[in-house]
Amino acid sequence: MKWTLSALAVVLLLRAWDPWPIETIRLKYFDALLTSKESVESQTISLYNIDEAALAEGGQWPWPRQQLAELNRDLLNSGASAVVYSVLFPEEDRFGGDFEFAESMDAMPTFLSAVATADTDRQDGWAVGVATLGPVHENAINYPGILPNVPVLQERAIGTGIVNTAPEVDGLVRRVPMVIRVGASLNPALKLDVLRGLAGDISYQVRGGDNGIQAVRVPSFETINTDAAGRVWIDWSAEFSQEPLVQTIVFVGVTAAGITPLVPTPRGLMYPHQIQATLFETLLNGTAPVRPDWSLAAEMVLILSLGLLAIALTNFLKVMWVPAGLGGTAALTAGASIWAFLRFGMLLDAALPVFFTAIVGGVGVAQRMIIEYQQKLQIKRQFEHYLDPRQVQRLQKNPELLKLGGETRYCTFLFTDLRGFTSLSEQISPAEVTKIMNATLTVQVEEVQRAGGMVDKFIGDAAMAIFNCPLDLEDHEDRAVEAAVRIQKRIKELNETMPVEVAIGVGVNSGEAVVGNMGSNTRFDFTGIGDCVNTAARLESATKEAGVNILIGQATAEKCKYVLKSLPAIHVKGKEKPLKIYTLDQIEGL
C-alpha cells in the first residue's frame, strides 16, 4: 500500500503543479468534447472568401480600396445586413481609394479589425467606452502597442475590434480574449465590438474579482462569462455558407494561397475570419463552453477519490478483476464529464482522473504481484534464515549431505535467552512482545554471522549458535566471545528505542560434539549434540544468578585472548562437580 499511496501523492502534486504535458492531456480531452457536438449551419453569419478565383477576376492582393468599396456595395445588394473585415488597413491606399471605401460603409454597418502587437508602442486609433468593476486591467492579456486602421476608415466604421488569438501550450486556439489591454486602455475583441455595434450600444462592461476577470457584457446582451484572463471558449459546432446569404452578417477574409496564415484549432487549420465568425456565433447564441471556478478543486477531489478506490480494488479484488473495476470506473467518470458538457456546457476533465487512476491502479497491481512473488520466494528460501549462507551454498553444491548423521568436531557453542520474557508478556501487548522478540533475535543473528558463526536454531525467545561448523573457523573461541560482546552492545543501543528495557543472557562454551543433520527420516535439522553443548546452555541459564550478562566456560576461557575474570564456581543440573566460570573483566561501552 505504501507504493500506491506514494503514487497517489505524486499524481495529485502533478495535477496541482500542472506542467505542460499534463495540461496538454487535459486540453486534448477538451478537444474531443468541443468537437463532439453535431454541426449546425448558421442562419446569421456567412463568409466571403477572397480566394484564388476572386484574385483571378479582381487582380492581385491587396485590392485597391475602390474595389473593396464595390465589394461592399455588392454585399449590400445581395442582402447582407453587415460586413466584418478580418483584414487590416493600417496604411493609406496607394491608389487613393480610401475615401470611396469609407463612403461605401455609410450604406451598411461595417466593422474593421485591428491587431495588438509588441512591434510598436502606438496606443491611439479609436476609443470605445468601457465600464469596469473590480480588478481587471492587471489580469487582461496585454501588449505595448496597437496597429489600427487609417483614420478615414476608422471614423466611418461602426466598430473596430482586436483580432488577436491566444494559442494554448500546444499551439492550438481554443479560447479567444474578449478584451486586450494596451497601455492603460482596454480594447474589445472584434466579436465583442460587433455585438456592441449591431446593438447600438456605446460601451461595454468588464467585471473582475480576486481571481481575475470574471465576465464581459454588452448592455443589450446577456453576460458573457470568461476565464481569469478574459478569454472565452469557442463552440466549434457552427458551419457557415461560403457565399453571402440574405440577412446575414458577412465575414470577409483572404483565403488565397500564401497570403493569410492558417491557424491550428481543434477542428484543424482554419482561416482567421472563420475563427472570428465561429466565436461571434458562439457569443450570439450564448453557447460558449465554461470552465467553472470550482473545476480544479472538484478534479483534485475526484483524483483523490478514484485513487483511493483504485487502491482498494488492487488490495481486495483478484488481480484478474482489477482491470474490469478500473475500466468501469473510467467509463462512469468519462460519462459524467460528457453529460455535464452536453447538458450544461461545462468543461470538466475526465482524462487526467482516469489516467492517474490507471497509474495508481497499475502501481497497485505491480506492488501486489511483487509482494506475492516475494512471499513465494520467502517460503522457498525459508531455511536460509536459519542456516549460514556458506552452508546453504555447500548443500546446493552437494545435495547428498542432506542425510541423517553427523561428524565429531571441536566447536564453540553460544546460547542466548531474553530475560524475564514471561513477565514481559504480561506487561505489554502481544504485538509489542513480538516486535521486541524479532528485534532482539535480529541483532543476535547479525552479530553471530558477522563473527563467522552459524545460527543453528531459535527456541522461543532463545537462540543457539555454532562456531567452527560446518566450515572451519580460526580462533572460533575468540569469535564466539566477540559475538557475545557485540550482542550486548547492540541490545543496549536497541533499548533506547524499545517501549521497555530488555536484557540478554549469553552462555559460551567449547568442546567436542557431534554436529550434523539430526532428526527423523522425513524431518531433520542441522544441530550439535554433546556435553559441551549442554554446558553452554546451562551457563546461559546461570547468568542471572551470577549477576552478569555473559558467562564463559573453562574450555573457551583457556583459548580466549580476551581478558577474563574468574567468578565463583557454580553447581548446575546434571553436573556433580562445580563448574569454573568466567566473564569479561571490562567491556568498553557497557
Side-chain angles (χ1 to χ4, degrees):
M1 182 165 302
K2 180 172 66 176
W3 290 5
T4 50
L5 288 175
S6 298
L8 180 56
V10 168
V11 298
L12 285 169
L13 287 174
L14 277 175
R15 180 60 189 89
W17 177 29
D18 204 24
W20 69 263
I22 300 301
E23 184 179 359
T24 299
I25 293 173
R26 180 173 65 256
L27 291 174
K28 295 300 182 184
Y29 175 73
F30 288 164
D31 288 347
L33 294 178
L34 293 169
T35 58
S36 64
K37 294 175 66 175
E38 184 179 355
S39 296
V40 178
E41 184 166 326
S42 173
Q43 302 300 309
T44 58
I45 298 173
S46 59
L47 304 180
Y48 182 85
N49 300 326
I50 302 176
D51 53 16
E52 283 83 357
L55 295 186
E57 180 180 346
Q60 67 180 16
W61 185 262
W63 285 347
R65 304 282 161 82
Q66 295 96 331
Q67 196 168 335
L68 292 175
E70 185 64 29
L71 174 61
N72 258 8
R73 289 189 286 269
D74 290 343
L75 293 175
L76 175 63
N77 293 332
S78 66
S81 59
V83 61
V84 180
Y85 281 91
S86 184
V87 179
L88 300 178
F89 306 108
E91 298 175 349
E92 293 183 359
D93 182 28
R94 65 186 185 278
F95 299 107
D98 287 327
F99 184 75
E100 184 177 347
F101 185 31
E103 278 192 327
S104 70
M105 296 181 188
D106 294 338
M108 180 174 58
T110 303
F111 296 87
L112 300 180
S113 299
V115 63
T117 176
D119 296 331
T120 179
D121 57 1
R122 180 179 177 183
Q123 297 180 5
D124 62 329
W126 82 99
V128 178
V130 55
T132 60
L133 177 63
V136 295
H137 287 75
E138 57 268 31
N139 298 108
I141 297 173
N142 68 90
Y143 287 87
I146 196 167
L147 191 62
N149 301 282
V150 295
V152 65
L153 301 180
Q154 196 73 65
E155 293 169 1
R156 293 294 185 93
I158 297 297
T160 301
I162 302 291
V163 292
N164 293 67
T165 56
E168 308 285 352
V169 293
D170 59 353
L172 271 64
V173 171
R174 299 178 179 87
R175 13 180 199 180
V176 176
M178 291 292 96
V179 290
I180 296 284
R181 180 166 64 87
V182 179
S185 301
L186 287 177
N187 295 273
L190 177 61
K191 295 71 58 181
L192 187 64
D193 211 48
V194 172
L195 280 180
R196 181 199 60 77
L198 293 177
D201 292 322
I202 60 173
S203 65
Y204 62 98
Q205 302 159 353
V206 183
R207 185 179 75 242
D210 294 337
N211 297 323
I213 299 175
Q214 297 177 337
V216 297
R217 180 173 178 266
V218 172
S220 298
F221 290 90
E222 295 293 329
T223 298
I224 302 168
N225 294 317
T226 70
D227 65 9
R231 297 173 298 181
V232 169
W233 295 85
I234 301 176
D235 177 2
W236 299 98
S237 62
E239 294 284 353
F240 306 104
S241 170
Q242 303 299 308
E243 296 293 336
L245 300 177
V246 176
Q247 294 301 310
T248 61
I249 303 167
V250 180
F251 279 73
V252 178
V254 181
T255 61
I259 298 178
T260 304
L262 289 163
V263 179
T265 74
R267 291 189 61 181
L269 296 174
M270 298 178 68
Y271 288 100
H273 70 299
Q274 292 177 304
I275 296 176
Q276 301 297 330
T278 304
L279 182 54
F280 182 75
E281 180 81 3
T282 299
L283 299 181
L284 197 61
N285 296 333
T287 58
V290 294
R291 182 99 167 111
D293 293 338
W294 46 263
S295 57
L296 173 59
E299 288 160 7
M300 293 287 286
V301 171
L302 181 61
I303 292 171
L304 176 62
S305 301
L306 294 181
L308 293 175
L309 178 60
I311 293 174
L313 292 176
T314 55
N315 276 278
F316 298 109
L317 283 184
K318 291 183 177 180
V319 173
M320 61 182 298
W321 291 109
V322 171
L326 294 177
T329 301
L332 288 174
T333 303
S337 172
I338 294 171
W339 175 80
F341 175 73
L342 296 177
R343 180 68 177 82
F344 302 106
M346 292 183 182
L347 290 173
L348 300 176
D349 181 25
L352 286 173
V354 169
F355 177 57
F356 287 153
T357 302
I359 291 177
V360 175
V363 171
V365 170
Q367 177 180 334
R368 183 168 169 180
M369 294 178 68
I370 290 172
I371 291 175
E372 291 179 356
Y373 172 76
Q374 290 176 335
Q375 289 174 341
K376 293 178 181 179
L377 196 62
Q378 182 179 11
I379 294 172
K380 179 182 178 181
R381 298 178 177 177
Q382 183 176 4
F383 293 114
E384 292 180 1
H385 294 285
Y386 297 95
L387 303 178
D388 183 84
R390 293 167 297 179
Q391 183 187 12
V392 174
Q393 292 178 3
R394 183 179 177 187
L395 294 176
Q396 288 175 336
K397 294 178 180 179
N398 303 283
E400 65 275 7
L401 294 177
L402 288 172
K403 58 183 180 182
L404 291 177
E407 59 179 327
T408 300
R409 288 178 65 99
Y410 187 87
C411 302
T412 299
F413 299 89
L414 180 148
F415 281 79
T416 68
D417 188 41
L418 182 64
R419 288 179 179 173
F421 183 76
T422 302
S423 60
L424 187 66
S425 302
E426 296 174 353
Q427 298 174 24
I428 58 178
S429 67
E432 290 177 315
V433 171
T434 302
K435 180 180 178 180
I436 291 173
M437 188 171 71
N438 288 341
T440 55
L441 290 175
T442 297
V443 165
Q444 297 170 54
V445 170
E446 290 176 351
E447 295 306 328
V448 167
Q449 293 186 347
R450 180 179 178 182
M454 179 194 77
V455 177
D456 180 68
K457 63 171 65 68
F458 297 128
I459 310 167
D461 60 316
M464 171 184 172
I466 307 175
F467 293 77
N468 198 41
C469 182
L471 303 178
D472 294 336
L473 181 67
E474 292 183 1
D475 302 324
H476 54 86
E477 296 90 348
D478 291 333
R479 298 290 189 93
V481 175
E482 176 187 353
V485 172
R486 289 186 177 278
I487 287 172
Q488 296 297 342
K489 289 183 177 180
R490 291 281 302 277
I491 292 299
K492 183 179 179 180
E493 296 171 357
L494 195 63
N495 276 330
E496 296 178 2
T497 62
M498 288 289 189
V500 294
E501 187 172 339
V502 297
I504 296 287
V506 182
V508 182
N509 192 45
S510 302
E512 287 190 347
V514 176
V515 292
N517 292 309
M518 311 292 178
S520 69
N521 290 325
T522 58
R523 183 185 177 105
F524 51 86
D525 288 314
F526 192 95
T527 189
I529 297 176
D531 181 68
C532 61
V533 179
N534 296 333
T535 299
R538 297 286 187 268
L539 290 174
E540 183 284 317
S541 299
T543 55
K544 188 174 183 181
E545 179 183 343
V548 296
N549 289 330
I550 301 174
L551 278 181
I552 301 170
Q554 184 174 1
T556 302
E558 290 174 352
K559 296 184 179 182
C560 179
K561 69 179 181 181
Y562 282 81
V563 178
L564 302 179
K565 179 174 66 176
S566 177
L567 298 176
I570 59 172
H571 289 276
V572 297
K573 184 178 180 181
K575 293 284 185 178
E576 295 182 0
K577 295 181 180 181
L579 291 178
K580 292 183 178 180
I581 57 173
Y582 303 82
T583 190
L584 283 95
D585 190 22
Q586 285 185 338
I587 303 176
E588 184 179 354
L590 290 178

